[in-house]
Amino acid sequence: MRREKMIRKGIRDVSTASTFAQYDAYAKKILSHKIFLSHILKGTIQEFKDMDPTDIVPLIEGEICVSEVPVEAGLTNQVMKSSGNMITGNNTESTVPTEGTIYYDIIFYVRTKNGRSQIIVNIEAQKKEDNIAYDLFNRGAYYVCRMVSSQKERDFIKSNYNDMVSVYSIWICFNMDQNCMNYFKLKDHTLVGNYRWPGKDDLLNLILVGLDKKFSTVLEEQTGRDSELHHMLRIIFSDRLNGKEKAKLLEETLQISVDEEVREELNDMTGLLYGIVEKTKKETMEEAKKEAEKERREIIQNMLKESFTKEQIKKVLKATDTEIARVEKEMLVNLINI
């Protein structure tokens, strides 16, 4: 019985994991649309803070790579190339020994508003900050360092370190206790003298964006209380709105217009999330019902062993004759099998 229960649980877990993987793929694909990327850039990077998102869109260059560029040393430049200001990708990378290859969720080049320089932006979506075996900041710091070190022989050659471009890794983390955003960068702490060392103090940038775990509550109550970025994410990832409703709210509250393709993607992603939630609820209720029935049978069995009469059991537990007879049969079968 226990083995069968474990097998059933394993099948459910695989099914749920597959659905989550589909949902994760939709989430990345939706966030990779330039209209949403432009709002993320405006909401997180000082360079774009005062710009209209529609003016940011043309600054995003080339192909947006989604789960294509490996993070590991020695693999990034096999896929990510600054050729004609584009990131080109294929999915032929080998895995690192003892572990699978880790890919950046989304990574792309974008021009600064003056149009003269580039930066590299990586966006990661993290489901639960409290459900991982490491501190998210540490992983983010690793990603930022890899984004810099992988520029050698791609964005700069030999020892031309002044040609390195600034990098930003932006992590969107769900299931937090509050909406939050923290910005980490290099900072000069002068210890002796007042010398100013030349160089790019904005080379390494890590931004952690936390989304309140109650983000799917009534959206109208939150309007004006969220930052525009948090509000956009709240709408996109709500499990209470279909694609049409999300598109309408994006247009009305943030002036973000989406086409039919994006609307369908939003709809499909919501459907997957709703399916996961409902399936989990149903399975939890079924498991609870089975556990309650098992406990009830054990109580009846113990009462029979303690020589309670059927009438007493029926009175105390409001059990039926059929229920008691079934337990007596189980006890007899177990006795024969001993």
Side-chain angles (χ1 to χ4, degrees), residues 198-217:
K200 294 183 176 180
D201 60 2
D202 65 343
L203 186 63
L204 305 171
N205 301 273
L206 173 62
I207 301 170
L208 303 181
V209 181
L211 194 62
D212 186 350
K213 67 182 67 175
K214 299 176 182 178
F215 71 89
S216 62
T217 53

Side-chain angles (χ1 to χ4, degrees), residues 155-180:
D155 294 288
F156 74 96
I157 58 174
K158 297 183 179 179
S159 298
N160 298 323
Y161 294 105
N162 283 356
D163 291 338
M164 287 191 296
V165 300
S166 298
V167 302
Y168 289 80
S169 187
I170 303 167
W171 291 69
I172 299 170
C173 187
F174 300 88
N175 203 43
M176 299 290 286
D177 291 329
Q178 59 178 291
N179 282 347
C180 56

Side-chain angles (χ1 to χ4, degrees), residues 73-310:
L75 296 182
T76 305
N77 284 351
Q78 294 181 32
V79 177
M80 185 174 176
K81 301 176 182 178
S82 181
S83 175
N85 299 324
M86 294 180 65
I87 303 174
T88 59
N90 57 56
N91 239 336
T92 61
E93 298 308 322
S94 59
T95 58
V96 173
T98 75
E99 63 177 273
T101 301
I102 301 171
Y103 294 88
Y104 293 106
D105 281 0
I106 302 170
I107 192 166
F108 57 95
Y109 282 93
V110 60
R111 288 275 173 187
T112 53
K113 61 184 178 183
N114 60 23
R116 290 194 295 271
S117 57
Q118 285 180 316
I119 60 176
I120 302 173
V121 178
N122 156 236
I123 296 174
E124 299 288 322
Q126 185 75 37
K127 295 184 187 71
K128 290 186 178 181
E129 206 276 346
D130 59 354
N131 195 33
I132 48 181
Y134 51 81
D135 293 321
L136 189 61
F137 172 86
N138 295 345
R139 184 177 176 184
Y142 172 74
Y143 275 45
V144 166
C145 292
R146 282 292 304 128
M147 290 166 69
V148 171
S149 65
S150 67
Q151 291 181 42
K152 187 168 175 58
E153 308 308 329
R154 188 188 73 232
D155 294 288
F156 74 96
I157 58 174
K158 297 183 179 179
S159 298
N160 298 323
Y161 294 105
N162 283 356
D163 291 338
M164 287 191 296
V165 300
S166 298
V167 302
Y168 289 80
S169 187
I170 303 167
W171 291 69
I172 299 170
C173 187
F174 300 88
N175 203 43
M176 299 290 286
D177 291 329
Q178 59 178 291
N179 282 347
C180 56
M181 187 188 308
N182 296 76
Y183 175 37
F184 305 89
K185 61 175 289 186
L186 291 173
K187 188 173 182 180
D188 179 6
H189 293 278
T190 303
L191 301 180
V192 178
N194 57 6
Y195 183 72
R196 170 79 177 176
W197 293 89
K200 294 183 176 180
D201 60 2
D202 65 343
L203 186 63
L204 305 171
N205 301 273
L206 173 62
I207 301 170
L208 303 181
V209 181
L211 194 62
D212 186 350
K213 67 182 67 175
K214 299 176 182 178
F215 71 89
S216 62
T217 53
V218 180
L219 287 159
E220 287 76 3
E221 295 178 359
Q222 302 298 328
T223 304
R225 287 162 44 186
D226 291 339
S227 71
E228 287 193 0
L229 174 59
H230 284 89
H231 188 61
M232 182 187 77
L233 295 172
R234 188 187 293 276
I235 294 173
I236 290 175
F237 293 104
S238 171
D239 61 352
R240 302 188 178 196
L241 303 170
N242 59 36
K244 184 177 179 180
E245 292 168 330
K246 289 181 179 183
K248 182 181 179 183
L249 263 178
L250 287 169
E251 174 70 42
E252 290 178 350
T253 62
L254 297 170
Q255 292 73 56
I256 300 176
S257 298
V258 299
D259 57 26
E260 187 60 32
E261 178 186 355
V262 177
R263 190 178 294 114
E264 285 300 317
E265 289 173 3
L266 288 168
N267 206 49
D268 291 342
M269 185 180 70
T270 304
L272 282 170
L273 181 59
Y274 180 78
I276 292 170
V277 172
E278 290 303 307
K279 183 179 179 182
T280 302
K281 284 182 181 178
K282 183 178 178 181
E283 289 173 351
T284 301
M285 290 175 65
E286 288 176 352
E287 287 295 331
K289 183 179 178 182
K290 288 178 182 177
E291 287 299 322
E293 290 174 350
K294 180 183 176 182
E295 290 178 6
R296 185 174 174 83
R297 288 197 304 273
E298 289 176 349
I299 292 172
I300 294 174
Q301 186 178 113
N302 289 333
M303 292 180 76
L304 288 170
K305 288 179 180 179
E306 294 294 331
S307 301
F308 280 78
T309 66
K310 291 183 181 180

Side-chain angles (χ1 to χ4, degrees), residues 29-41:
K29 186 177 181 183
I30 288 169
L31 287 178
S32 70
H33 286 287
K34 289 187 177 181
I35 186 59
F36 295 136
L37 291 179
S38 67
H39 280 265
I40 294 173
L41 294 174

